[in-house]
Amino acid sequence: MTSGAVCVIGLGKVGLPLAALLASRGLRVVGVDIDPARVAAVNEGRSPFPFEAGLDALMREGAAAGRLRATCDAAEALAGAEVVIIIVPVALDEREQPEFASFDGAVGEVVSAGWDDALVLVETTVPVGATRSRVWERLRAAGKGCAVAAAPERVSSGTALRDLRRYPKIVGGVDEASGRRAEEFYREALGVEVIRLASAEAAELTKIAEGVYRDLNIALVNELARYADAVGVDISEVIVAANSQPYSHLHQPGVGVGGHCIPVYPWFLPSGEGGLALPTMGRRINDAMAAYGVERLEALLGSLRGATVVILGVSFRANVKEAYRSPAFALRDEIARRGGRPLAHDPYFTPDELRALGFEPCAVPCPADAVVVQAWHDAYRDLDFAAFAGLRAVLDGRNALDRSRIEAAGLRYAGIGR
């Protein structure tokens, strides 16, 4: 186990659970974040992510024991660090190209640190080659002999601690010595199986491959769902039956795919002439599902012109507070394009936060012509659709509802492939 501190740069929905777990296993962890409120919460032992199971207790324990603290001053945090973990997001710009500004800024802080023997681990999911070109080569150019490895995170918001304890850790060094140090650190620090690949590039591609597989699987089942609608078949029972064969692993259809992971990673791969064809095709299919869902809803109502439509769930998926690339945005825009008035509700966002995202907030139930289920939060489980005054139709964008219950309330129902 490392005797020095571990510096975690980026205390977001993945970085903070990682920092708290490392501290719970006896390491001294200093986190770095640009958000002063988040830094204050860490130092007070308060979780800023109430949806993350178990995080609050680990943070209280770590802060009380003096093993977990945070700062906005990267230089201070890096000064005593033996291991540095970079876990800041690489998102997409308006041209669907990777945006490295935050990542490169974090790397710059590491390059400026005074030591040259630390282990630098890149947990951020990055395009293939970025760990070598944007981290290791910058360190070498500055005369720093740090060990560098790609160690992409593999967790989901809401289950991050469970995933960190359960999934094998993937690592790949820029050279054999770096890979070996990374393997030794994670085996001791996390206490999980570590799979060491031959290179940083192999580790980077592994994480991208996982995400692209899921996106393409969803694209396939979305195509099958649209066909099921055309021929009058319920895709839900088809999926269950097909997956009874051990080589079939069909996911679930829906009105789109959101978040920082699945809809982003396909764009980390080369496309166009000489590039990969399927990832781009899958993105186009999944991005079109919001419009398809609204088309289904319009068929139930006859027209959306003048209709009030409530979108349930602005988060990209259930039971988390994260709206990045959420299908709710496309649903909102498509409803408005067809002449409807889109409203939005999400128990994880305040009305002001929804307004800041460009939504008109509402309470539920409320007067409405239609409801679209976009993220089926647990908070909606007991929602009485019959209490929406004037409600005529429900689009079940996640195939989460009991159709018979909706229709028994005198409402028209449409799912995706149902």
Side-chain angles (χ1 to χ4, degrees):
M1 188 75 73
T2 177
S3 58
V6 176
C7 176
V8 178
I9 304 179
L11 297 177
K13 296 179 179 67
V14 179
L16 184 51
L18 173 64
L21 182 59
L22 293 175
S24 76
R25 290 183 57 82
L27 281 77
R28 292 188 295 113
V29 182
V30 183
V32 180
D33 202 272
I34 61 174
D35 183 351
R38 187 167 300 171
V39 166
V42 173
N43 290 330
E44 293 167 8
R46 294 184 293 104
S47 171
F49 308 128
F51 54 81
E52 194 59 64
L55 180 58
D56 197 61
L58 283 191
M59 289 182 62
R60 285 197 307 272
E61 173 191 314
R67 292 193 302 267
L68 177 64
R69 67 180 184 88
T71 177
C72 292
D73 187 340
E76 174 202 341
L78 288 163
E82 183 178 307
V83 177
V84 179
I85 298 174
I86 301 173
I87 188 164
V88 297
V90 172
L92 299 176
D93 63 19
E94 66 280 356
R95 298 177 295 112
E96 306 286 22
Q97 296 298 305
E99 172 52 66
F100 284 100
S102 296
F103 181 82
D104 286 345
V107 175
E109 296 285 0
V110 177
V111 171
S112 298
W115 36 244
D116 66 358
D117 60 349
L119 171 62
V120 179
L121 301 164
V122 178
E123 289 227 7
T124 301
T125 302
V126 294
V128 175
T131 298
R132 189 177 301 274
S133 65
R134 305 186 91 99
V135 183
W136 185 66
E137 290 182 3
R138 286 184 66 183
L139 285 164
R140 278 173 57 99
K144 307 293 175 66
C146 300
V148 177
E153 56 83 10
R154 309 177 76 195
V155 307
S156 298
S157 294
T159 59
L161 291 171
R162 182 205 68 183
D163 299 343
L164 283 165
R165 294 179 174 116
R166 178 184 298 181
Y167 299 157
K169 187 65 183 174
I170 302 296
V171 301
V174 296
D175 52 35
E176 184 177 355
S178 295
R180 188 166 56 251
R181 281 188 65 180
E183 179 182 10
E184 292 169 356
F185 169 75
Y186 280 114
R187 180 171 289 118
E188 293 188 29
L190 292 179
V192 297
E193 176 188 358
V194 179
I195 301 173
R196 175 157 64 97
L197 304 182
S199 65
E201 289 77 10
E204 292 164 339
L205 183 56
T206 297
K207 175 58 186 295
I208 294 171
E210 292 174 4
V212 172
Y213 162 77
R214 293 175 65 190
D215 199 40
L216 286 173
N217 190 309
I218 296 167
L220 170 62
V221 81
N222 277 334
E223 290 273 82
L224 292 172
R226 295 177 73 149
Y227 180 67
D229 282 332
V231 298
V233 168
D234 187 340
I235 194 65
S236 297
E237 66 172 356
V238 171
I239 291 170
V240 172
N243 287 351
S244 68
Q245 207 274 359
Y247 297 105
S248 178
H249 307 283
L250 291 173
H251 291 1
Q252 295 295 321
V255 287
V257 179
H260 285 276
C261 300
I262 297 177
V264 172
Y265 301 156
W267 300 112
F268 285 4
L269 296 169
S271 58
E273 181 113 12
L276 285 70
L278 282 177
T280 302
M281 292 172 61
R283 281 283 75 238
R284 289 173 178 161
I285 291 169
N286 289 335
D287 282 346
M289 290 306 295
Y292 175 73
V294 175
E295 180 182 315
R296 296 266 291 160
L297 181 62
E298 189 168 52
L300 295 180
L301 295 177
S303 172
L304 283 178
R305 190 157 299 281
T308 297
V309 182
V310 175
I311 300 169
L312 290 180
V314 170
S315 297
F316 79 92
R317 66 174 173 84
N319 302 320
V320 299
K321 183 180 181 179
E322 178 55 72
Y324 184 71
R325 298 181 80 87
S326 170
F329 294 99
L331 288 167
R332 175 198 65 192
D333 295 345
E334 187 64 22
I335 291 166
R337 191 184 71 79
R338 293 172 183 254
R341 178 194 178 197
L343 305 180
H345 178 272
D346 194 302
Y348 287 98
F349 293 85
T350 67
D352 284 345
E353 287 173 330
L354 290 175
R355 290 187 190 96
L357 291 170
F359 292 92
E360 182 180 350
C362 66
V364 292
C366 65
D369 296 284
V371 166
V372 177
V373 172
Q374 197 292 122
W376 188 237
H377 298 304
D378 287 346
Y380 293 142
R381 299 287 178 182
D382 296 324
L383 186 62
D384 182 5
F385 286 91
F388 286 79
L391 189 65
R392 294 182 283 153
V394 175
L395 171 65
D396 185 1
R398 298 299 172 190
N399 290 353
L401 305 179
D402 181 344
R403 177 175 188 157
S404 62
R405 178 185 167 199
I406 299 299
E407 292 180 337
L411 305 173
R412 295 177 180 177
Y413 171 93
I416 305 300
R418 298 179 74 191

